[in-house]
Amino acid sequence: MLMAWMAGVLPPLPALAGTTLPTPKSGAVLKAQVAEGKQLFAEHCGGCHTVGAAGNDILPLTGHISTLGMEAYIEGQGKVLDHMPPFAGTRTQRDAIAAYVAVGLHGKKPDRFDEVRIRPLRHEVPPFDPATSAHVLLAWNTLGMKCITDCDVAYSNLPPGNALVALLIRRGSGDGMGEGRPRIVSEGVQMSYAAPPDMRRPSTQVEYWKYARSISGKELPPDVSVTGRGMLGNMDLNPKTGALEALGIPLTPYTDTGGLNPYPVFSVLARDAASGRELARTGAVLPNGTEMGCWRCHGGNWGRLGVTGISPVTARSILATHDKRNSTNLLARSDAGVPELCQSCHPDPLLNAKGREGVVNLPAALHGFHANYLAGRGAEVCSFCHPDSPIGVTRCLRDSHAAKGMTCVTCHGHLEDHTISLLKREVELGKPAAPGLLRNLTAQGPQGTAAILPRTPWTQEPDCMTCHKGYTRPTMPVSAFNVWTEGGPGLYRNRMDGTGKVPCAACHGSPHATYPSRSDYGAGRDSIQPFQYQKVDAPIGARGNCIVCHGPTARLDAAMSPHHPMR
């Protein structure tokens, strides 16, 4: 097995429940599949395509495509585009034809998904004395998983930008209630953040700053984002929440020397604004990844280190395909040095991008097109584009849910179901392209296509309380799909506790990294604050640790919690 050593040795990781990544076939099995595929190609494709002869030769059309890519091309033909009729065979026959073309004709190796071996990184847990420390500092990332498209010379839909939120709490005294209760400190405090010393020059690793005017509409100094943030600085008060925020930190997963660290630990420091006296410090992971497997269908290979990134070959193929199917000139603009931000046309709530009137929003467009080509697969299909593979280099599902075997499907539904929910909203809005993307999609989940409710991406997401009714631990198996939050305040990253003052994420951790967490980049890396304040990887205050915030002499129990019922 080919290993990619990223930073000691870990034992092989078990695949997540419901995840079935392709495994290598024996030589005899592969040979038989290719032979069957040759016959099936003649039956299903030979009427239009030749092999190495005059006419519509299949060879120049498919030389850049992997085995998985060929499967996708065959699966999706005739669904969105009508230049070929829908494939009339079974999926087993589809896979045989794909093996014949990719392996038999082009000599490619079948797709393999080998485990990337990761060396854990070290991190420090700042000191905290539960008997004498006057403050607790909580800090978290708002998404728990974040990507950038590191092919800025061609296009961008995820420019560098990350978010850090911090909450400073003056610990309680006495019984920890009444006048002695904890208090959020939002005035008279200076909150600063800093990236690790070897990750402060992202402009040396990606070309975004070279093309910032074309992509984001303004010239930017190196290592500064469109929000004016750098890799270290002071945070701003959000008067609605009392928390301090740094939005738009221009992080990449690359170190300044070209290494890879998808989970850098940022230091966060609170000082008295008047005297400069240190009040509290902590550390928090800001995640970032570039593990998008576009190359499997669009050609090329990984762009960086053989395990991640979008290569120039892949990016150019994506632009050429978009131009061909949508009569755009994106490749020419890229060659002229003016690459586009995808959201300049496609609306996207993530970037507050309005896009062009009548154009399908970006999540609906991306999922809508590709779901037609990647239909009928399980949870593993998410990892073809997102960095959630349990054996990839990023492994973004590292929270308490993943530890119980849950996958993306548990909350977001199968690819088709997830996509149907997005496209139904676009159909309601009268977007002309939406019905064509939707018409051939069939739900895989038990609710059926008709019952899937429309939603707006990023503002309507699965609701935590669907499974955690009354703040209880649900009985497995569970599903949060098709019950959407009504808007921003209901999202986990924005939701507040029963007092209306403490964000859920402050105590429970970032989405996709909730406590207790597990990271192959270092035990407890995403749980620095639980270990700092209570020496146990659990939500802040759990397991009788009310004294963390309520003070060393507090006499409280779970039944007295003002935040939510502790069950």
Side-chain angles (χ1 to χ4, degrees):
M1 179 179 288
L2 178 66
M3 303 296 182
W5 295 85
M6 297 318 302
V9 177
L10 294 178
L13 295 173
L16 296 177
T19 301
T20 54
L21 296 172
T23 54
K25 298 180 176 67
S26 69
V29 171
L30 180 60
K31 185 177 181 179
Q33 186 186 38
V34 170
E36 180 188 10
K38 181 177 181 179
Q39 180 179 344
L40 289 167
F41 180 89
E43 295 174 4
H44 288 271
C45 314
C48 297
H49 290 286
T50 62
V51 178
N56 196 9
D57 187 358
I58 195 69
L59 293 179
L61 300 173
T62 56
H64 62 293
I65 308 171
S66 71
T67 309
L68 173 63
M70 275 306 308
E71 293 172 7
Y73 271 70
I74 298 168
E75 175 68 35
Q77 68 185 42
K79 290 183 176 180
V80 179
L81 306 169
D82 58 7
H83 63 286
M84 290 197 298
F87 180 61
T90 66
R91 286 193 166 125
T92 300
Q93 293 173 328
R94 173 203 70 185
D95 294 351
I97 295 174
Y100 166 65
V101 174
V103 179
L105 296 181
H106 291 291
K108 294 179 179 290
K109 294 181 179 180
D111 283 352
R112 291 181 57 171
F113 292 76
D114 294 335
E115 179 186 6
V116 178
R117 306 287 276 189
I118 296 169
R119 178 174 297 157
L121 302 172
R122 294 182 178 180
H123 66 271
E124 295 182 359
V125 176
F128 174 77
D129 187 337
T132 62
S133 294
H135 294 87
V136 167
L137 178 57
L138 305 175
W140 64 96
N141 172 259
T142 56
L143 294 178
M145 58 180 288
K146 180 72 172 64
C147 295
I148 65 166
T149 40
D150 61 342
C151 53
D152 306 285
V153 65
Y155 69 90
S156 176
N157 61 52
L158 290 169
N162 216 301
L164 180 66
V165 184
L167 192 72
L168 182 65
I169 298 174
R170 171 78 183 187
R171 299 177 73 203
S173 61
D175 63 1
M177 301 292 283
E179 290 300 317
R181 69 183 181 276
R183 297 184 182 276
I184 294 173
V185 181
S186 56
E187 296 181 353
V189 60
Q190 182 186 72
M191 192 81 69
S192 63
Y193 67 92
D198 65 342
M199 297 188 74
R200 294 183 181 177
R201 296 183 296 142
S203 63
T204 65
Q205 300 303 311
V206 298
E207 294 185 292
Y208 169 72
W209 281 270
K210 182 177 179 180
Y211 301 103
R213 174 170 289 280
S214 175
I215 292 172
S216 298
K218 60 170 72 172
E219 297 284 353
L220 295 174
D223 312 318
V224 175
S225 73
V226 291
T227 65
R229 291 285 173 192
M231 299 306 293
L232 63 169
N234 293 325
M235 305 171 73
D236 297 323
L237 175 66
N238 182 332
K240 294 182 178 180
T241 65
L244 290 107
E245 301 173 338
L247 307 181
I249 300 172
L251 179 68
T252 80
Y254 305 119
T255 67
D256 296 341
T257 55
L260 188 69
N261 180 1
Y263 302 107
V265 176
F266 275 59
S267 60
V268 186
L269 175 64
R271 293 184 181 275
D272 181 273
S275 67
R277 178 174 59 90
E278 180 177 320
L279 301 176
R281 68 171 61 224
T282 192
V285 158
L286 264 66
N288 214 318
T290 52
E291 190 184 352
M292 305 171 203
C294 312
W295 63 271
R296 294 192 176 96
C297 294
H298 289 278
N301 209 318
W302 293 115
R304 298 285 290 266
L305 304 171
V307 291
T308 193
I310 302 174
S311 74
V313 171
T314 304
R316 288 180 60 83
S317 172
I318 291 170
L319 294 183
T321 300
H322 193 287
D323 288 345
K324 181 179 180 180
R325 303 306 181 196
N326 298 278
S327 300
T328 52
N329 65 340
L330 299 178
L331 184 56
R333 288 182 59 80
S334 170
D335 289 342
V338 283
E340 292 270 3
L341 180 73
C342 300
Q343 289 91 336
S344 63
C345 290
H346 292 276
D348 190 357
L350 177 64
L351 299 185
N352 294 317
K354 295 182 179 180
R356 292 186 179 179
E357 184 73 24
V359 175
V360 173
N361 73 54
L362 188 65
L366 287 173
H367 289 90
F369 188 84
H370 293 95
N372 283 280
Y373 288 83
L374 294 168
R377 299 176 185 267
E380 80 282 356
V381 72
C382 303
S383 67
F384 297 165
C385 302
H386 295 279
D388 63 275
S389 169
I391 59 175
V393 73
T394 314
R395 307 181 191 182
C396 65
L397 301 183
R398 57 203 193 280
D399 68 356
S400 53
H401 300 92
K404 296 183 182 298
M406 299 183 196
T407 67
C408 306
V409 170
T410 306
C411 295
H412 298 283
H414 291 275
L415 174 59
E416 293 94 323
D417 304 16
H418 175 79
T419 304
I420 289 168
S421 70
L422 295 172
L423 287 173
K424 279 190 172 183
R425 175 70 77 219
E426 298 298 275
V427 169
E428 289 181 346
L429 295 173
K431 304 291 184 68
L437 296 173
L438 180 61
R439 66 173 177 251
N440 287 304
L441 295 179
T442 302
Q444 288 198 64
Q447 68 284 320
T449 303
I452 293 178
L453 300 173
R455 70 181 183 91
T456 301
W458 297 107
T459 60
Q460 290 183 287
E461 297 290 343
D463 191 335
C464 304
M465 306 311 292
T466 304
C467 299
H468 294 279
K469 294 180 174 65
Y471 299 95
T472 58
R473 289 188 178 135
T475 301
M476 301 291 287
V478 295
S479 173
F481 177 74
N482 212 32
V483 181
W484 314 128
T485 58
E486 293 185 3
L491 296 170
Y492 171 73
R493 65 178 182 269
N494 297 331
R495 192 188 292 268
M496 307 293 280
D497 72 340
T499 70
K501 296 180 179 179
V502 182
C504 297
C507 297
H508 289 271
S510 300
H512 308 101
T514 52
Y515 312 135
S517 66
R518 176 186 185 273
S519 174
D520 296 306
Y521 281 87
R525 192 171 184 84
D526 282 285
S527 300
I528 290 175
Q529 290 146 56
F531 283 112
Q532 177 181 5
Y533 298 126
Q534 56 194 27
K535 312 300 182 188
V536 62
D537 193 356
I540 300 298
R543 304 184 190 178
N545 282 295
C546 303
I547 66 168
V548 170
C549 294
H550 287 269
T553 61
R555 298 292 182 264
L556 304 174
D557 58 45
M560 301 169 67
S561 170
H563 306 289
H564 63 71
M566 302 277 191
R567 305 184 194 279

